[in-house]
Amino acid sequence: MADGTKTIVTNRRARYDFELGDHFEAGIVLTGSEVKSLRQGSAQLAEAFVKLGRDGVDLVNCTIPPYEMGGYANHEPRRMRRLLLHKAEIEKLRKGTEQKGMTIVPLKLYFKGGRAKVSFALGRGKKTVDKRQTIADRESKRRLDRVMKER
């Protein structure tokens, strides 16, 4: 929070399921009730993904629950939300996803300077063997940290 950011939700499975490459940051087009719901700290990125269309980039399957005090003017929880990027960034994403097996994975949803932002990266899905290697590396690091702490 020292740099003016307030994290709402992170996608912890993304680093486990994907090998991540280039990272990006984009603003999100939201309605008023969505912003209020996010300020309460409720959202889910677990099943979300970023989709490149002809007319722009969208965040799909990100769940922002309805605002409790919204009344009749509430929003649909799982609607597609437009991401705000420069043309050069969109072209970089387009070229990245044209490679076999590459996808765009949302990592974090947060407020930065009062504006809602999403952080995402180009990623390639890991195979089961790679996931086992990640777990083994994590366990060995933990063991090493314990040994160093005991000394």
Side-chain angles (χ1 to χ4, degrees), residues 27-38:
I28 313 171
V29 177
L30 298 171
T31 64
S33 63
E34 287 174 326
V35 173
K36 289 181 178 189
S37 187
L38 285 177

Side-chain angles (χ1 to χ4, degrees), residues 70-90:
Y72 71 92
N74 247 326
H75 62 277
E76 185 182 327
R78 293 185 78 139
R79 72 178 187 88
M80 287 177 39
R81 293 167 179 92
R82 178 58 43 109
L83 297 181
L84 306 171
L85 291 162
H86 292 283
K87 283 184 184 178
E89 291 174 319
I90 294 172

Side-chain angles (χ1 to χ4, degrees), residues 5 45 62 79 87 100-101 117:
T5 63
L45 278 178
C62 174
R79 72 178 187 88
K87 283 184 184 178
K100 186 170 174 20
K117 304 275 185 179

Side-chain angles (χ1 to χ4, degrees), residues 23-147:
H23 285 69
F24 297 89
E25 177 184 69
I28 313 171
V29 177
L30 298 171
T31 64
S33 63
E34 287 174 326
V35 173
K36 289 181 178 189
S37 187
L38 285 177
R39 290 211 185 275
Q40 288 180 335
S42 56
Q44 290 179 344
L45 278 178
E47 301 164 1
F49 61 96
V50 176
K51 178 177 145 190
L52 286 168
R54 280 187 12 197
D55 56 339
V57 182
D58 296 314
L59 181 64
V60 183
N61 280 349
C62 174
T63 305
I64 300 175
Y67 180 56
E68 295 168 1
M69 308 297 280
Y72 71 92
N74 247 326
H75 62 277
E76 185 182 327
R78 293 185 78 139
R79 72 178 187 88
M80 287 177 39
R81 293 167 179 92
R82 178 58 43 109
L83 297 181
L84 306 171
L85 291 162
H86 292 283
K87 283 184 184 178
E89 291 174 319
I90 294 172
E91 283 306 310
K92 196 171 183 181
L93 286 172
R94 199 172 303 284
K95 286 179 185 173
T97 55
E98 286 173 356
Q99 296 177 18
K100 186 170 174 20
M102 296 295 279
T103 186
I104 306 170
V105 184
L107 303 173
K108 185 166 72 166
L109 192 60
Y110 55 96
F111 282 106
K112 181 177 180 181
R115 304 206 186 268
K117 304 275 185 179
V118 64
S119 171
F120 55 92
L122 280 168
R124 175 171 285 135
K126 287 184 183 178
K127 305 233 182 315
T128 307
V129 175
D130 298 332
K131 291 179 186 180
R132 283 193 216 126
Q133 184 62 42
T134 303
I135 293 169
D137 292 344
R138 188 177 346 138
E139 291 297 324
S140 64
K141 184 180 180 303
R142 249 188 229 149
R143 258 188 250 113
L144 186 65
D145 288 344
R146 278 192 203 121
V147 169

